[in-house]
Amino acid sequence: MPNAIAKLKYLRIAPRKVRFVADLIRRLPVSEAEAELTLHPRKPAPHLLKLLRSAVANAGQKHMNVRKLVIAEIRVDEGPKLKRWNPRARGSMAEIQKKVSHITLVLEESEKAKGREFILPKKEKKSEKKGGK
């Protein structure tokens, strides 16, 4: 079965934080996952949304039906750590590990996928008239 793969390497967010958001979209149809990521408040959400859109573009290049795509696999691995040091009492040092994530996203066609798309409503701007006494 054909699949489309997109990878994001060296994302400067800890893998534990990225996995929380990745678990929300695992096994979802692409349209639902995109809606979920668009509205999610956590920091990894925009990065995963960009990766998802890249994978959909890759699927389009392989002539796959974009409306039937499902997230088959999303894997978050740990990359190399940046090691920094913080001075402490009596001349000792405390290590600070700045963690990095590698994300792999695999899409595949599924007959069970829903064809509907979510439309996000636009917020109406409130017009306030300035009036004084």
Side-chain angles (χ1 to χ4, degrees):
M1 181 167 241
N3 57 14
I5 300 172
K7 293 182 181 181
L8 173 61
K9 292 188 170 188
Y10 303 103
L11 177 64
R12 259 294 287 125
I13 301 174
R16 181 177 176 181
K17 296 176 183 180
V18 178
R19 281 187 196 113
F20 180 82
V21 180
D23 289 342
L24 295 175
I25 62 169
R26 187 172 280 124
R27 297 282 176 206
L28 284 181
V30 168
S31 60
E32 288 184 31
E34 191 171 352
E36 182 75 30
L37 291 174
T38 304
L39 298 173
H40 205 275
R42 289 210 175 203
K43 188 178 176 183
H47 300 287
L48 288 175
L49 180 61
K50 188 174 179 180
L51 181 67
L52 177 64
R53 288 179 176 160
S54 175
V56 170
N58 293 345
Q61 289 292 319
K62 291 185 173 185
H63 305 292
M64 297 170 69
N65 188 353
V66 177
R67 295 197 180 272
K68 292 185 178 182
L69 291 177
V70 174
I71 298 174
E73 178 185 353
I74 183 165
R75 190 172 62 242
V76 181
D77 299 323
E78 188 172 329
K81 296 175 187 170
L82 297 173
K83 295 180 180 175
R84 302 292 181 257
W85 303 95
N86 213 4
R88 306 307 276 176
R90 293 184 286 151
S92 62
M93 296 292 222
E95 185 180 30
I96 298 172
Q97 295 180 349
K98 300 189 176 206
K99 297 178 181 174
V100 175
S101 300
H102 294 326
I103 307 167
T104 305
L105 181 68
V106 180
L107 299 179
E108 65 182 25
E109 287 184 348
S110 173
E111 297 301 324
K112 297 177 184 178
K114 300 172 187 172
R116 67 180 181 185
E117 292 202 15
F118 288 88
I119 300 172
L120 298 173
K122 294 183 180 178
K123 294 181 182 178
E124 295 180 16
K125 295 181 180 178
K126 295 180 181 178
S127 59
E128 295 181 18
K129 294 182 181 178
K130 294 183 180 179
K133 292 182 182 178

